Amino acid sequence: MSAEKVFFLTKDPETRAALDAGSKTLDVELVSIDGLGPSETLRGQRFLLAFVGIRSGASLLMERRKELNPKLVLMAHPSAKRNALEMMKEGAFGFLMKPFLPEEVSLLIDRALEDQKVRRDLQRMRNLESVSGLLLERLRKVVKRADPGKKGDLYDFVMHCIEKPLLEMVLEETGGNKIKAANILGINRNTLRSKIKELTIRTAR
C-alpha cells in the first residue's frame, strides 16, 4: 500500500519543520499545495489531512470542505485562536497553536490514520453486505435450475470465488504479515499458509 498523503498549505518554515518532524515516524507522504488551486490539487486525491495556516487559505478550504471532504488541521498563531475555534465548530478536524510541537503533529496524524482506517473498514463491510446480497440473488436462480438428483459443485465453486479474494485483501492490508492476517480472519496461521499455497496466492515479502 502506498503512503497516505498529508497536504500542507503554508509558507511558514517553522510549520514545515514541525510537519517534517512530526510525520517522520509515520507512513505518510508530505505534499505541498503552495501556490496551487486547492480544488485542482485535492479533488480526487486519497489524502489524509490538509494542514493549512489561518492566513494561507484555510477559509477557502473550509468553504469547499463538502466538495473536497478534507480533514483540515489549522496552524494558528495565538492571536488567531478565536478564528481557529470558529472553524472547529464548522467542521475542522483540529488546530495547533504556535509553537508547533512535532509530537502534537504526530498525534494528530496518528488519530486521523486510525479514524480513516475505521471508516474504510465500515465501507468494506457495507460493500461486502451488498456483494453478498447480489451473489445470493444470482445463486438463487442457479439453485432453482439445479437437479437435486445429481451431485453438483456449487459449494466448492462459491467458496473458491469468495475465499481467494478475501484472503488476498486481508494479506494486502496487513502488508503480507501472515500472523496479523490470521488474527483478523480468525484462523490458525498454519491453516492460512495452507490456503495461500492451495489457492496460489502471492504475498508481499
Side-chain angles (χ1 to χ4, degrees), residues 4 12 19 21 38 88 142 144 148 150 152 156 174 177 186 193 204:
E4 298 285 0
D12 179 17
L19 287 171
M88 284 283 288
V142 175
K144 285 181 178 179
K150 297 180 179 179
D156 289 338
T174 59
N177 188 309
R193 284 176 174 167

Side-chain angles (χ1 to χ4, degrees), residues 21-118:
S23 62
K24 192 169 292 183
T25 59
L26 302 170
D27 186 23
V28 295
E29 174 190 354
L30 286 180
V31 180
S32 173
I33 56 175
D34 285 352
L36 300 176
S39 60
E40 295 306 313
T41 305
L42 298 180
R43 185 183 291 118
Q45 292 276 10
R46 184 179 125 174
F47 66 95
L48 177 65
L49 291 170
F51 283 84
V52 294
I54 290 291
R55 300 175 183 175
S56 304
S59 298
L60 173 62
L61 287 178
M62 284 300 295
E63 289 172 6
R64 311 194 69 169
R65 66 188 181 280
K66 290 183 180 179
E67 174 190 350
L68 302 171
N69 195 28
K71 285 186 178 180
L72 297 182
V73 175
L74 309 169
M75 315 292 279
H77 187 275
S79 63
K81 184 176 181 180
R82 180 176 296 177
N83 291 338
L85 288 171
E86 286 301 315
M87 290 187 181
M88 284 283 288
K89 293 177 184 177
E90 294 180 20
F93 184 72
F95 76 92
L96 298 175
M97 305 293 291
K98 280 190 174 183
F100 305 130
L101 303 178
E103 54 268 29
E104 291 181 345
V105 175
S106 179
L107 181 61
L108 268 174
I109 295 175
D110 199 42
R111 273 177 48 206
L113 279 168
E114 185 60 32
D115 182 78
Q116 187 148 295
K117 181 179 181 299
V118 171

Side-chain angles (χ1 to χ4, degrees), residues 175-194:
N177 188 309
K178 296 180 182 62
I179 296 176
K180 291 181 180 179
N183 287 339
I184 292 173
L185 291 163
I187 62 176
N188 185 278
R189 183 172 47 170
N190 291 332
T191 301
L192 177 60
R193 284 176 174 167
S194 298

Side-chain angles (χ1 to χ4, degrees), residues 51 57 97 102 130 143 145 154 178:
F51 283 84
M97 305 293 291
S130 62
V143 172
R145 291 197 300 265
L154 182 60
K178 296 180 182 62

